Amino acid sequence: MSPIVKLLAQRISLSLLLLLLISVVIFAGTIVLPGDVAQSILGQSATPEALANLRAELGVNDPPVQRYFAWLFGAMQGDLGTALTSGQDIAQALSSRIGNTLFLAFWAAVVAVPLAIFLGLLAVRFKDRWPDKLISAVTLASISIPEFLIGYVLMYFIAVKMRWAPSVAMINDSMSLLEKLHSIALPVAVLTLVVLAHMMRMTRAAILNVMQSAYIETAELKGLNAFQVIYRHAFPNAIAPIVNVVMINLAYLVVGVVVIEVVFVYPGMGQYLVDHVSKRDVPVVQACGLIFAAVYIALNMFADIVAILSNPRLRHPK
Amino acid sequence: MSDTLLKVRDLKIGATVYPPGERPRDIDIVHGVSFDLAPGKVLGLIGESGAGKSTIGLASMAYGRGGVKITGGEVWINGRDILKGSHKDIRKLRGAEVTYVSQSAAASFNPAKKIMDQVVEAAVEQQKFSRKEAEARARVLFAKLGLPDPDNIGDRYPHQVSGGQLQRCMTALALCPEPDLVVFDEPTTALDVTTQIDVLMAIKEAIRDTGVAALYITHDLAVVAQVSDDIMVLKMGNTVEYGTVDQIINAPQEEYTKALVSVRSIEHEEKAPTEEPVLSVRNITARYKGTQFDVLHNVNVDLYPGQTLAVVGESGSGKSTLARVITGLLPPREGEIEFAGRKLSSDLNGRSREDLRELQMIYQMADVAMNPRQTVGTIIGRPLEFYFGMRGAEKKKRIVELLDEIELGEKFMDRYPAELSGGQKQRVCIARSLAAKPKMIICDEVTSALDPLVADGILKLLLDLQKIENVAYLFITHDLATVRAISDNIAVMYQGKVQRYGGKSKVLNPPFDDYTDLLLSSVPEMKLGWLEEVIAHRKMESAGN
């Protein structure tokens, strides 16, 4: 087996193992937490018999290991259980919301990633001159301001004053793609501002690091212009760290949008999670936790795979 | 076209330096240098590090490395003063009229791109040739430079070919756009001595066949004598002497040139082994973890008290691995090591503090072997505390003694490594190892990073200290001149085996085995026509590293 296939196989099996471990942690965590689901469903005035009946019905009394495996095998088959509070099937309730969350994250990424990398390249080209400083200042400022504040500020100016985009990002299946994009324009803008700085600065740092190499001097002495040097010779050697930080930010876009979804009343996973955490609906919290963990692990795995594939020494062994 | 291709007049180059603890200030690196180069001719620029030779070479492409700035003078190429050109003019010049070959091709090739893409890039980008024409030309150059499989080597990535091959690829890269002038900056310095000859010959023939002019920069006068028409000797940014190669080599006028031309001045009489050896390496076979082949095969050598054993070989011969085995960093698969009459644990963790104290080490890179945030006094004082528990005035007295022994003196005690020259740093490392009062010191290429005259001083110091302290040296080096200068016994290593072993007079005199013959004959000699002579008389191909 070639070394690169072996490395990739190792990396992927490590991810699966990690996901399994996290499922244990999520399950154990929700058991250890204090509180009583039955109590929170029935309220303070419930009789002890009613509480006992409900607990038996919910299966809370079974041994934890048995409950874990039942839950795990169910999850592997796409059955995430039923929500305690509403009795709804979780997988069904989640499916449209995951779609919405991914839709928002995808369009935020489509805008933010190329923009961040382009700004990073630009900052390298004009290092320590005004364009570099301006880019750094603006992106750092946007990452430093809390995202809900940016959200409300944009809402006030763009939605309320100028009326370019709606302040509430409602979407549904009957809308066309263009209508949907118009609807989510503001949350996409906010998310872009939030993740831009991190990716832009890593692009800048990774490329500047490569710019110290002797082969950059070779390229300069070939008479290439600054952009050719950066784009052809520096960028290919800086891909691994850049992809890494891009993936972490994409993961953030998927799992970290809770606040934005609440601000813009967007029907995504974040809001669904928040609703059910407050009701102590353990199966929903577990399901959401598992999905978020899977997204994080998958994206980071993808970053590592790109890093392995971008290394010519691994791709083309001696 | 005029009969001068490159005309440099009163070239002045400066830089901003940032000394520790002081304000940045501007210094001059080159103080007004002038020379002419006719088309198709080769001018050798020679000098020690800091002489400004690379800086001058790059200035002929209007390039300043790091913070280096050209502050005055004129550089005329093909009748234009390039220092007056715009950015765009300069870009059109680079990679088209003037190209560059660097010291380390391994670092100068982009690891993420195929060799061919990089070789033809300048020619295509400067619109000298179409991509197709440039590739055809590159293949011709690959063949001319003696690269294996010239039709396909361009499809490889830089890490897939050896260092010597990559250096030839770099030469092809420079010649591909049909430039008028190539700047060769120490193109063979990083190569093994037997590989150096092949690359040198390839470069020389390529220069002759393409009729290109060249600036050939090196610190090795014997090398530059083989390829140049004229030589300029530089020191601290000034021209010392400028003349034809014949005049510089055979009739040098200036003292400094004479010092460079004269062979090593150290005479060292070989001592016969007298007592029991201090170190006996017995049947050592070793391999690195996770690999399938042995890098050392059944190695046997002895080192006697107060004497020097030189272990000489090219990269990959196993000489540094032998040092790792002796120090305990790499436990061998077979064999054992006796030291000072006792058996040494093969693993570093099994060794006593006495074992560690009596066996010291000095490294090639003195500046990374010292903590940059400690003073010289702290660095030398550390083994005194650690091994002998010295404190206060007693420790200080001993530090001063050691500083006197290495000819630096007490005033160096409070200095930091960054304030020392390369030779001074290596002296401090020598003092640090002597502080432990060792029976034996492993010297791993300790003079390789130093200029010849500075290296000479270090070798003299080591020999003097050997007489005073009766310490034995295991001297690892690839440089045969160093071996001649200081050894009593020599072990020639080749592909993990001891090829030849014995007293200096025996090892360095005929009859030779084929490898030792190749190695000894590959050391450049300071005479004209040596290169052609030695190539004609070869019995064996070089290792091709």
Side-chain angles (χ1 to χ4, degrees):
Chain A
M1 192 162 45
S2 79
I4 195 161
V5 175
K6 200 172 150 193
L7 259 174
L8 291 179
Q10 273 175 351
R11 185 64 190 83
I12 292 169
S13 36
L14 193 69
S15 295
L16 293 176
L17 182 70
L18 195 61
L19 191 56
L20 193 69
L21 287 177
I22 285 179
S23 74
V24 174
V25 172
I26 289 174
F27 192 82
T30 48
I31 285 181
V32 172
L33 289 177
D36 184 351
V37 192
Q39 185 92 61
S40 60
I41 293 174
L42 296 177
Q44 291 298 326
S45 56
T47 61
E49 292 88 46
L51 285 174
N53 284 340
L54 185 58
R55 282 194 201 112
E57 197 185 317
L58 296 174
V60 185
N61 294 332
D62 293 340
V65 177
Q66 189 186 329
R67 279 160 59 207
Y68 168 71
F69 280 108
W71 172 70
L72 184 66
F73 286 122
M76 274 159 43
Q77 289 158 20
D79 174 14
L80 294 167
T82 47
L84 295 177
T85 44
S86 61
Q88 256 187 322
D89 185 57
I90 298 175
Q92 208 174 3
L94 270 179
S95 61
S96 71
R97 287 168 174 275
I98 293 178
N100 287 347
T101 292
L102 291 180
F103 183 74
L104 180 58
F106 172 79
W107 287 104
V110 163
V111 176
V113 174
L115 186 62
I117 290 174
F118 176 72
L119 288 177
L121 295 174
L122 209 62
V124 171
R125 169 66 183 84
F126 298 102
K127 181 180 168 250
D128 293 337
R129 291 166 39 198
W130 69 263
D132 180 23
K133 288 177 180 158
L134 183 72
I135 291 169
S136 277
V138 171
T139 53
L140 277 181
S142 73
I143 204 176
S144 309
I145 302 169
E147 54 209 81
F148 59 83
L149 185 65
I150 301 181
Y152 287 128
V153 169
L154 288 188
M155 216 186 268
Y156 178 73
F157 285 106
I158 295 177
V160 178
K161 286 281 173 192
M162 296 190 272
R163 298 182 178 275
W164 285 351
S167 62
V168 175
M170 288 302 294
I171 60 171
N172 57 56
D173 292 340
S174 62
M175 296 164 86
S176 73
L177 179 65
L178 219 60
E179 286 170 330
K180 283 184 181 174
L181 288 181
H182 184 239
S183 181
I184 62 167
L186 276 186
V188 163
V190 176
L191 286 172
T192 300
L193 286 174
V194 170
V195 296
L196 204 56
H198 197 192
M199 290 193 282
M200 176 307 254
R201 290 186 69 79
M202 185 50 109
T203 304
R204 180 181 180 275
I207 292 180
L208 280 181
N209 189 26
V210 171
M211 293 296 277
Q212 313 286 330
S213 312
Y215 53 80
I216 296 300
E217 184 179 284
T218 308
E220 286 173 354
L221 290 177
K222 281 175 180 172
L224 304 184
N225 68 38
F227 263 117
Q228 286 172 323
V229 171
I230 294 170
Y231 179 69
R232 280 194 208 160
H233 290 276
F235 187 61
N237 290 290
I239 283 179
I242 294 174
V243 169
N244 232 309
V245 74
V246 165
M247 288 305 153
I248 287 178
N249 280 286
L250 289 190
Y252 173 82
L253 283 180
V254 177
V255 308
V257 293
V258 177
V259 175
I260 294 299
E261 289 187 359
V262 173
V263 167
F264 289 96
V265 203
Y266 184 77
M269 251 175 98
Q271 217 173 26
Y272 185 69
L273 174 66
V274 171
D275 288 350
H276 288 80
V277 165
S278 58
K279 292 179 196 154
R280 259 196 213 102
D281 197 332
V282 173
V284 174
V285 175
Q286 283 173 333
C288 290
L290 196 63
I291 289 169
F292 284 164
V295 167
Y296 243 111
I297 289 172
L299 286 173
N300 278 299
M301 177 180 80
F302 184 71
D304 283 0
I305 289 174
V306 170
I308 291 170
L309 291 178
S310 75
N311 183 340
R313 283 169 196 275
L314 293 172
R315 233 179 327 132
H316 307 275
K318 280 199 173 187
Chain B
M1 194 193 280
S2 63
D3 55 348
T4 39
L5 166 69
L6 171 67
K7 189 169 79 175
V8 174
R9 286 292 171 272
D10 198 27
L11 180 64
K12 291 192 177 80
I13 303 173
T16 310
V17 290
Y18 302 88
E22 284 173 51
R23 262 159 205 250
R25 62 190 150 90
D26 289 330
I27 54 158
D28 291 332
I29 305 176
V30 176
H31 319 267
V33 167
S34 304
F35 57 85
D36 292 293
L37 184 61
K41 293 287 180 191
V42 180
L43 170 66
L45 294 180
I46 181 152
E48 305 191 298
S49 51
K53 50 195 193 303
S54 289
T55 312
I56 294 172
L58 287 168
S60 66
M61 306 179 77
Y63 188 83
R65 196 177 266 163
V68 170
K69 289 182 293 284
I70 299 169
T71 49
E74 298 162 15
V75 177
W76 294 79
I77 289 179
N78 287 331
R80 298 190 313 276
D81 184 357
I82 61 167
L83 299 184
K84 293 207 171 69
S86 66
H87 280 289
K88 211 175 159 197
D89 296 336
I90 289 170
R91 271 218 317 279
K92 276 190 179 157
L93 169 98
R94 292 177 187 164
E97 288 169 65
V98 192
T99 56
Y100 181 72
V101 177
S102 76
Q103 171 168 358
S104 169
S108 296
F109 269 97
N110 187 336
K113 289 178 162 289
K114 287 181 182 171
I115 290 171
M116 182 60 93
D117 290 340
Q118 306 188 51
V119 168
V120 300
E121 188 175 17
V124 174
E125 202 55 50
Q126 300 284 5
Q127 297 171 352
K128 280 253 183 169
F129 298 107
S130 72
R131 168 96 195 185
K132 220 172 169 179
E133 288 163 351
E135 285 191 11
R137 187 171 153 75
R139 286 191 201 97
V140 171
L141 286 167
F142 289 152
K144 190 177 283 178
L145 289 160
L147 282 162
D149 195 11
D151 287 341
N152 299 312
I153 196 166
D155 293 332
R156 297 176 154 226
Y157 283 83
H159 69 272
Q160 293 175 306
V161 303
S162 72
Q165 289 169 357
L166 211 51
Q167 202 68 48
R168 290 177 221 208
C169 291
M170 184 99 203
T171 307
L173 185 155
L175 291 172
C176 191
E178 266 186 348
D180 300 317
L181 171 66
V182 182
V183 179
F184 289 96
D185 193 353
E186 305 261 14
T188 64
T189 307
L191 303 176
D192 276 323
V193 63
T194 57
T195 315
Q196 166 170 284
I197 288 205
D198 294 335
V199 175
L200 207 54
M201 196 67 209
I203 289 177
K204 185 171 184 175
E205 283 173 356
I207 291 174
R208 190 189 60 210
D209 295 351
T210 54
V212 70
L215 277 182
Y216 198 100
I217 297 161
T218 177
H219 68 279
D220 190 340
L221 194 50
V223 165
V224 85
Q226 307 310 318
V227 292
S228 304
D229 300 298
D230 292 330
I231 291 180
M232 174 178 265
V233 182
L234 294 156
K235 187 186 181 189
M236 310 289 283
N238 288 305
T239 308
V240 176
E241 197 165 352
Y242 179 29
T244 64
V245 63
D246 185 48
Q247 182 251 307
I248 297 283
I249 300 294
N250 296 322
Q253 302 296 310
E254 301 292 324
E255 282 308 313
Y256 183 73
T257 316
K258 285 178 189 160
L260 286 178
V261 170
S262 72
V263 204
R264 282 254 155 74
S265 54
I266 298 172
E267 292 291 328
H268 174 66
E269 279 294 307
E270 173 186 340
K271 293 190 281 273
T274 45
E275 311 160 55
E276 285 296 295
V278 59
L279 175 86
S280 286
V281 173
R282 289 281 156 266
N283 308 319
I284 290 289
T285 298
R287 71 169 56 162
Y288 285 100
K289 235 185 187 164
T291 58
Q292 296 300 314
F293 57 92
D294 293 328
V295 272
L296 291 178
H297 306 271
N298 197 21
V299 171
N300 284 288
V301 287
D302 289 314
L303 172 60
Y304 294 91
Q307 298 198 0
T308 302
L309 168 67
V311 178
V312 61
E314 298 183 279
S315 48
S317 64
K319 54 190 195 304
S320 290
T321 307
L322 180 60
R324 290 179 71 84
V325 170
I326 294 170
T327 52
L329 288 171
L330 178 70
R333 292 176 65 217
E334 282 166 40
E336 55 187 47
I337 293 162
E338 252 180 57
F339 179 68
R342 57 185 189 265
K343 190 172 167 289
L344 270 189
S345 159
S346 64
D347 189 358
L348 190 60
N349 293 324
R351 295 192 180 180
S352 68
R353 191 175 279 203
E354 268 313 273
D355 291 339
L356 299 180
R357 180 184 70 76
E358 292 186 334
L359 205 170
Q360 291 290 313
M361 189 140 182
I362 312 173
Y363 305 88
Q364 174 173 3
M365 296 294 188
D367 40 354
V368 295
M370 288 188 284
N371 186 335
R373 295 188 182 275
Q374 289 182 343
T375 61
V376 168
T378 314
I379 290 168
I380 299 178
R382 178 66 190 141
L384 298 175
E385 285 165 33
F386 183 72
Y387 293 119
F388 306 110
M390 285 189 189
R391 292 272 180 281
E394 186 195 12
K395 184 173 93 177
K396 189 177 174 200
K397 188 170 153 263
R398 180 73 184 126
I399 293 173
V400 173
E401 271 173 32
L402 285 162
L403 281 172
D404 285 338
E405 280 188 25
I406 57 167
E407 297 158 9
L408 290 184
E410 191 178 346
K411 61 181 188 294
F412 278 83
M413 212 162 136
D414 296 320
R415 296 214 189 160
Y416 286 91
E419 298 169 73
L420 306 178
S421 71
Q424 288 168 341
K425 283 180 199 162
Q426 198 57 284
R427 282 168 192 257
V428 171
C429 288
I430 291 171
R432 177 174 61 180
S433 64
L434 283 178
K437 288 203 163 291
K439 289 205 163 84
M440 165 185 166
I441 300 177
I442 297 176
C443 304
D444 191 357
E445 302 270 12
V446 292
T447 55
S448 306
L450 301 174
D451 288 317
L453 296 179
V454 179
D456 240 31
I458 295 286
L459 293 180
K460 274 190 194 126
L461 175 71
L462 283 170
L463 284 176
D464 291 345
L465 291 171
Q466 186 168 56
K467 278 186 204 127
I468 303 169
E469 308 268 347
N470 200 37
V471 60
Y473 297 135
L474 182 85
F475 209 97
I476 294 168
T477 181
H478 68 278
D479 181 16
L480 285 150
T482 305
V483 172
R484 263 197 199 100
I486 75 156
S487 64
D488 299 298
N489 286 296
I490 299 175
V492 178
M493 295 201 63
Y494 180 57
Q495 295 183 346
K497 296 193 183 89
V498 175
Q499 182 79 17
R500 195 173 165 91
Y501 173 61
K504 174 162 69 174
S505 53
K506 187 193 133 202
V507 169
L508 294 184
N509 284 306
F512 293 122
D513 58 285
D514 284 354
Y515 177 69
T516 309
D517 184 45
L518 172 74
L519 190 65
L520 292 177
S521 68
S522 300
V523 179
E525 284 173 29
M526 201 101 45
K527 71 181 189 204
L528 307 186
W530 163 83
L531 183 61
E532 286 73 13
E533 223 170 87
V534 68
I535 293 277
H537 289 96
R538 270 191 167 184
K539 287 185 203 148
M540 178 180 169
E541 286 295 307
S542 74
N545 283 319

